[in-house]
Amino acid sequence: MTRAWNFGAGPAALPEAVLKQAADEMLEWHGAGMSVMEMSHRGKDFSGIIGQAEADLRELLKVPANYKILFMQGGAIAENAIVPMNLAGKNPKIDFVETGSWSTKSITEASRYADVHIAATSLNPKAPQGKYTRIPSVSDWHLRPDTAYLHLCGNETIDGVEYFAWPDLEALGAGHVPLVVDVSSHILSRPLDVAKFGLLYGGAQKNIGPAGLTLVIIREDLLDQAHPLCPSAFRYKTVAENASMFNTPPTYSIYIAGLVFQWLKAQGGLAEMERRNIAKAELLYQTLDRSDFYISHVERACRSRMNVPFFLADESRNDAFLAGAAERGLLQLKGHKSVGGMRASIYNAMPIEGVRALVDYLQDFEKTQA
Amino acid sequence: MTRAWNFGAGPAALPEAVLKQAADEMLEWHGAGMSVMEMSHRGKDFSGIIGQAEADLRELLKVPANYKILFMQGGAIAENAIVPMNLAGKNPKIDFVETGSWSTKSITEASRYADVHIAATSLNPKAPQGKYTRIPSVSDWHLRPDTAYLHLCGNETIDGVEYFAWPDLEALGAGHVPLVVDVSSHILSRPLDVAKFGLLYGGAQKNIGPAGLTLVIIREDLLDQAHPLCPSAFRYKTVAENASMFNTPPTYSIYIAGLVFQWLKAQGGLAEMERRNIAKAELLYQTLDRSDFYISHVERACRSRMNVPFFLADESRNDAFLAGAAERGLLQLKGHKSVGGMRASIYNAMPIEGVRALVDYLQDFEKTQA
């Protein structure tokens, strides 16, 4: 068996220790006589598993007591409808800041449920590459004071743009506006002050666990604002009141997420993950910046630590680059089809050794092409 | 390691051979350098996995070419909203036949999206036990000719009532009405003439795979009738056009389902499963009927082969019964809290040996209590 370095954007690499434990426990979990996959979601064993997962996540992110953690389904794309159906059901006005492909998708879907206002955008439609490369200066955001909430995408997985500072909505005269952030692709990569947010959500398949699990962290006072047509299974109040068991939750995915949370705690928690993620990202961006053989379009202040899109100056070399990478066991480096080029996703589960292997290859490939 | 006999209603027992293969392939799938959990859903490897799963399911159920198979999320409880949002969006009228707890849940949820009419019900509200024990005679169904569809629950997991013959809607003057059936808890337990139905749906966690995966089989002419507020991720037309990849599908659950489909084919397909399931159910019901120590309320013609609810005549013995069962490794026999008593779920993955162990225990327990 050979495990490759998997730079896929999601579903993405998981810690090998987590996979090993899952394999060991596949036929029988802790003397229960069955796999976690076969357990009743209402039984004592699974109650312990989901309870521990929630407690560990609360500890990792220091989630305040007035926030609920919901284990849901459908991923960020489903949440693009579920969030507006829940939070703008009584006041159908939503403000957005557009910083890339994912915020754009959120805007398109939300416009079916609410009057949508783009408070700011970084779109540069004429750019041949890198249509989104920055975060608009907060002083240029034009928020509606009566909006139901402000939506941001915390890390644009496709474009590689990440927020490292969160806006001070008080300073914009909008301290009352709940801040909603899609954190799918950078949750758990660093500490987060949850109290700044009304709602955080993310698909699990980047930094949490298997695809099919969605995490929602919501301030309790926002739970009960749903549109009458919001399906019960996706109504935050209903999900919260039933401790994520109104419908059968994706039990095995929650178990894997729980193993990831335990792994994160064993590594030293989110401060340590941030230290490692900074080191990995710096190593990679420094290599890309060293010559003009590789191009990174994103402004330095908002370069994502999780998803690093880059281009070869000579794109006719793309296929050779990818083929050579695969020979070294460096996989899933092709950029998203909507932007082209390359992308290295370096989530929590990617160790610095993997980034070193990529950096070595970047340098070697450049030499062979000289 | 000791695997118990798991009679849970869902998430339920899976074939041991499937779990073994999943454990073996957890760290690396077929030389791919990674786990199935870590693969891009758009990559070549996972495309092969989902393609094979769909092809095997088509073969097992002989799904006609004019039906789409959709891999979705949320389970049957989410579908209780998603089906009406998709099929009654343009004609908000739905007829139901009520035969137990699950059809009742479907009716309650659908009533938020459409004018709901109960064409027939078997509810016996005064019964102290077994409020639903039969299927109303089809000649007593009162269908509205202009209804968008007729909804049935094919097997009532909680009440143990199963359809073995499907209604002839032509004979009711309603041959044009699409028949929609929740097959969550008996799909793949026997052959099914898919062409009779407009739509079949089911949560995976009984006879298919892990919780978090939902299967929808839909006739193509029904794809495009959605309500404008149906979320894109749950819009059948969108899901079909994107081959279940509009949002990231629950990839690992689809992989496990695919292993289950291959296991079913290796066992001899659905005709063989039906033969085994009949044998298992007959053995269990015959034992329950042998004395009045155990009571099964359901009419013989519609006794479920998958979920066998029963009661001890003397319910003060319930705790002793369950404790003694657990000592023999017979687990999850407690009935659903809404009906009480006991329930043995004997899905495809439960071999006759497990039912024999249960039958032995039923007889031994009765003797010790004499």
Side-chain angles (χ1 to χ4, degrees):
Chain A
M1 202 209 56
T2 325
R3 301 240 324 142
W5 297 119
N6 176 4
F7 294 95
L14 287 164
E16 193 170 307
V18 165
L19 295 173
K20 278 189 174 145
Q21 185 172 346
D24 287 346
E25 295 177 348
M26 179 64 87
L27 271 85
E28 188 184 17
W29 181 87
H30 297 202
M34 63 188 74
S35 171
V36 173
M37 239 180 250
E38 302 169 283
M39 283 176 189
S40 168
H41 54 302
R42 302 202 182 276
K44 179 174 60 64
D45 288 331
F46 187 73
S47 295
I49 289 170
I50 192 172
Q52 189 65 49
E54 180 178 336
D56 287 338
L57 182 61
R58 277 196 184 272
E59 184 183 330
L60 283 163
L61 276 173
K62 297 189 174 61
V63 178
N66 64 324
Y67 284 73
K68 293 284 188 193
I69 293 176
L70 312 180
F71 295 96
M72 299 182 63
Q73 297 179 50
I77 291 185
E79 288 300 321
N80 283 342
I82 295 170
V83 175
M85 285 189 118
N86 273 282
L87 298 195
K90 294 178 179 167
N91 174 23
K93 286 187 177 181
I94 313 173
D95 284 20
F96 283 85
V97 175
E98 184 186 42
T99 52
S101 309
W102 278 96
S103 43
T104 305
K105 280 193 193 195
S106 296
I107 292 164
T108 303
E109 184 77 358
S111 66
R112 299 209 279 116
Y113 302 97
D115 174 39
V116 156
H117 168 68
I118 298 179
T121 178
S122 65
L123 175 63
N124 179 5
K126 293 184 189 158
Q129 284 177 342
K131 291 194 180 350
Y132 296 96
T133 59
R134 61 188 187 85
I135 290 169
S137 170
V138 175
S139 57
D140 296 332
W141 294 10
H142 300 285
L143 293 185
R144 296 181 297 188
D146 61 343
T147 192
Y149 62 90
L150 170 64
H151 177 117
L152 314 175
C153 177
N155 181 60
E156 292 279 2
T157 319
I158 292 174
D159 306 277
V161 173
E162 182 172 4
Y163 284 83
F164 294 105
W166 300 105
D168 180 355
L169 295 187
E170 294 275 5
L172 292 175
H176 60 287
V177 173
L179 186 56
V180 170
V181 183
D182 174 357
V183 291
S184 294
S185 55
H186 68 159
I187 187 171
L188 299 175
S189 69
R190 54 182 161 108
L192 197 64
D193 183 1
V194 174
K196 282 192 196 301
F197 304 91
L199 185 149
L200 299 163
Y201 72 90
Q205 65 269 23
K206 284 98 159 65
N207 255 340
I208 298 172
L213 170 65
T214 314
L215 211 62
V216 173
I217 304 174
I218 180 171
R219 213 174 62 211
E220 284 173 345
D221 62 291
L222 298 174
L223 282 168
D224 192 15
Q225 325 222 14
H227 189 283
L229 292 191
C230 180
S232 302
F234 303 118
R235 191 174 288 241
Y236 295 144
K237 182 165 185 279
T238 304
V239 178
E241 284 172 353
N242 289 278
S244 301
M245 302 260 187
F246 179 75
N247 57 351
T248 308
T251 49
Y252 194 74
S253 300
I254 291 168
Y255 155 74
I256 298 287
L259 295 183
V260 171
F261 301 154
Q262 298 231 324
W263 178 82
L264 286 169
K265 286 173 64 179
Q267 303 304 302
L270 301 191
E272 171 62 15
M273 294 321 295
E274 180 173 41
R275 193 191 65 71
R276 295 186 195 177
N277 287 325
I278 289 173
K280 285 151 50 185
E282 281 186 350
L283 176 60
L284 182 48
Y285 283 115
Q286 279 167 5
T287 307
L288 295 171
D289 290 342
R290 200 162 288 154
S291 79
D292 51 11
F293 189 86
Y294 301 105
I295 302 165
S296 157
H297 291 288
V298 180
E299 283 187 4
R300 288 183 186 227
C302 55
R303 279 174 162 181
S304 171
R305 289 180 197 143
M306 296 287 105
N307 310 98
V308 181
F310 62 93
F311 296 84
L312 305 194
D314 177 358
E315 293 217 272
S316 73
R317 291 166 164 156
N318 282 358
D319 289 347
F321 178 86
L322 289 168
E327 271 174 33
R328 294 199 189 188
L330 307 166
L331 301 186
Q332 306 208 74
L333 280 164
K334 192 171 182 179
H336 191 271
K337 61 177 190 253
S338 66
V339 301
M342 306 296 156
R343 174 175 51 174
S345 295
I346 49 175
Y347 299 117
N348 283 341
M350 173 63 67
I352 187 102
E353 291 75 17
V355 179
R356 283 203 193 103
L358 174 58
V359 160
D360 288 347
Y361 175 64
L362 287 167
Q363 294 171 332
D364 291 349
F365 182 76
E366 182 175 349
K367 279 178 209 150
T368 63
Q369 305 287 309
Chain B
M1 201 208 56
T2 323
R3 301 244 318 145
W5 297 120
N6 175 3
F7 294 95
L14 288 164
E16 193 170 307
V18 165
L19 296 173
K20 278 188 174 146
Q21 185 172 347
D24 286 347
E25 296 177 348
M26 180 64 87
L27 270 85
E28 188 185 17
W29 180 88
H30 297 201
M34 63 188 73
S35 172
V36 173
M37 238 180 251
E38 303 170 282
M39 284 176 186
S40 169
H41 54 300
R42 301 200 183 279
K44 179 174 59 67
D45 288 330
F46 186 73
S47 295
I49 289 171
I50 192 172
Q52 189 64 49
E54 180 178 337
D56 287 337
L57 182 61
R58 276 195 186 274
E59 185 183 329
L60 283 164
L61 275 173
K62 300 189 172 60
V63 179
N66 65 323
Y67 284 72
K68 294 283 187 193
I69 293 176
L70 312 179
F71 295 96
M72 298 184 63
Q73 297 178 50
I77 291 184
E79 288 299 322
N80 283 342
I82 295 170
V83 175
M85 285 188 117
N86 273 282
L87 297 196
K90 294 178 180 169
N91 175 22
K93 286 187 178 182
I94 313 171
D95 285 20
F96 282 86
V97 175
E98 184 187 42
T99 51
S101 309
W102 279 96
S103 41
T104 305
K105 280 192 192 194
S106 297
I107 292 165
T108 303
E109 184 77 358
S111 67
R112 299 209 278 118
Y113 302 97
D115 173 37
V116 157
H117 167 67
I118 298 180
T121 179
S122 64
L123 174 63
N124 179 5
K126 292 184 188 157
Q129 284 177 342
K131 292 192 178 356
Y132 297 95
T133 59
R134 62 190 186 86
I135 291 169
S137 171
V138 175
S139 57
D140 296 332
W141 296 11
H142 300 286
L143 294 184
R144 295 180 297 188
D146 61 342
T147 193
Y149 63 90
L150 170 64
H151 177 117
L152 313 176
C153 177
N155 181 60
E156 292 279 1
T157 319
I158 292 173
D159 307 276
V161 173
E162 182 172 5
Y163 283 83
F164 294 104
W166 301 104
D168 181 356
L169 295 186
E170 295 275 6
L172 292 175
H176 59 287
V177 173
L179 185 57
V180 169
V181 182
D182 174 357
V183 291
S184 294
S185 54
H186 69 160
I187 187 171
L188 299 175
S189 69
R190 54 179 160 114
L192 198 63
D193 182 1
V194 174
K196 282 191 195 300
F197 305 92
L199 185 148
L200 298 164
Y201 71 89
Q205 65 269 23
K206 284 95 159 66
N207 256 339
I208 298 172
L213 170 63
T214 314
L215 211 62
V216 173
I217 304 175
I218 180 172
R219 212 174 61 211
E220 284 172 347
D221 62 290
L222 298 174
L223 282 168
D224 193 16
Q225 327 222 14
H227 189 282
L229 292 191
C230 180
S232 302
F234 303 118
R235 191 175 290 241
Y236 295 144
K237 182 166 185 279
T238 304
V239 178
E241 284 172 354
N242 289 277
S244 302
M245 302 259 188
F246 179 77
N247 57 350
T248 308
T251 49
Y252 194 74
S253 300
I254 291 168
Y255 155 72
I256 297 287
L259 295 183
V260 170
F261 300 154
Q262 299 232 326
W263 178 82
L264 286 169
K265 284 173 67 179
Q267 303 303 303
L270 301 192
E272 171 62 15
M273 294 321 294
E274 179 174 42
R275 194 191 63 72
R276 294 187 196 176
N277 287 324
I278 289 173
K280 284 151 54 185
E282 281 186 352
L283 177 59
L284 182 48
Y285 283 115
Q286 279 167 5
T287 307
L288 295 172
D289 291 342
R290 200 161 290 153
S291 78
D292 51 10
F293 189 86
Y294 301 107
I295 301 165
S296 156
H297 290 289
V298 180
E299 282 187 5
R300 289 184 184 223
C302 55
R303 279 174 162 180
S304 171
R305 288 182 198 143
M306 295 288 104
N307 310 99
V308 181
F310 62 94
F311 296 85
L312 306 194
D314 176 0
E315 293 217 85
S316 73
R317 289 165 166 157
N318 282 358
D319 289 347
F321 177 87
L322 289 167
E327 271 173 33
R328 294 199 189 186
L330 306 167
L331 302 186
Q332 306 210 74
L333 280 164
K334 194 171 181 179
H336 190 271
K337 61 176 189 255
S338 66
V339 299
M342 307 296 157
R343 175 175 51 174
S345 295
I346 49 176
Y347 299 118
N348 283 341
M350 173 63 66
I352 187 104
E353 290 76 16
V355 179
R356 284 205 194 103
L358 173 58
V359 160
D360 288 347
Y361 175 63
L362 288 167
Q363 294 171 331
D364 291 349
F365 183 75
E366 182 175 350
K367 280 180 209 150
T368 63
Q369 304 288 310

